[in-house]
Amino acid sequence: MTDAAPGRWRGLLGLLAGGLAMAAGALAALADEPMRIVGVPSLERPMRAVADRLVKASLTAPPAMQFGKTTEAVAAFCRSWQKDTPSVLALSRRLRIHEADLCALYGVSEIVEIQLGYQALVLVAGRSDDDLDLRLQDLRAAVAKEIPEGEGFVANPHRTWREVNAKLPAV
């Protein structure tokens, strides 16, 4: 991702940059070494994009980054009081209580979590599924907990795409 990133990423990258900028500032005050980041592979591209922006803005030196299994990333982060260990953990979920307890055992007890967004929705269709011509309003009507009816809202009764839009398949 570059400065020409699609609009949907701009807000997320801005939030990530803000969070990392705060972390980078705090780390720079504590040590003269680059920030170290561990995380899950699904966050590698956004984290690298944010790090690139921070480096270009001269807010931090290029950070060391490593992406892999969640358990390995958490374990590495929890040892962060040691030299040359990560100070930023990028997960696609909140840190679990037992993971925070593990960190506390290693002396890492002041953890600041920054939540960005809630979840993602992925739709997969085969190449032969020509009749799945979704519009944004169809998607909203399909996943909404409640839908507008009359002057208020009712529980979403839709169970197939055809119930959402008569032009869609009955799946």
Side-chain angles (χ1 to χ4, degrees):
M1 285 178 232
T2 65
D3 287 335
R8 67 178 185 262
W9 284 102
R10 289 183 191 264
L12 175 61
L13 291 176
L15 289 171
L16 283 170
L20 283 178
M22 289 187 298
L27 293 172
L30 297 174
D32 293 326
E33 58 188 69
M35 182 173 23
R36 297 183 185 280
I37 300 170
V38 293
V40 295
S42 62
L43 295 178
E44 183 173 359
R45 287 186 64 197
M47 293 302 290
R48 289 196 186 282
V50 169
D52 289 346
R53 287 183 179 207
L54 291 173
V55 170
K56 285 179 185 174
S58 301
L59 294 173
T60 185
M65 294 190 199
Q66 185 176 354
F67 297 90
K69 294 180 179 179
T70 301
T71 54
E72 294 170 0
V74 170
F77 173 77
C78 286
R79 293 188 305 271
S80 67
W81 62 272
Q82 298 174 355
K83 185 175 172 49
D84 296 333
T85 56
S87 52
V88 175
L89 173 62
L91 294 178
S92 55
R93 60 166 173 78
R94 295 200 59 179
L95 194 64
R96 295 187 174 135
I97 293 172
H98 74 275
E99 293 166 335
D101 291 343
L102 173 67
C103 288
L105 287 174
Y106 282 98
V108 180
S109 58
E110 294 184 30
I111 299 172
V112 176
E113 287 189 65
I114 302 171
Q115 182 177 339
L116 305 172
Y118 295 99
Q119 65 190 56
L121 173 65
V122 178
L123 296 175
V124 179
R127 292 180 188 205
S128 63
D129 293 339
D130 293 333
D131 56 346
L132 191 61
D133 186 21
L134 284 177
R135 299 172 300 163
L136 185 57
Q137 67 189 47
D138 297 333
L139 184 58
R140 285 186 184 134
V143 301
K145 183 176 180 179
E146 296 179 330
I147 59 170
E149 185 175 283
E151 295 291 319
F153 288 86
V154 297
N156 190 343
H158 302 135
R159 297 294 170 248
T160 68
W161 289 112
R162 181 150 299 146
E163 292 173 4
V164 170
N165 180 339
K167 296 178 182 177
L168 295 173
V171 294

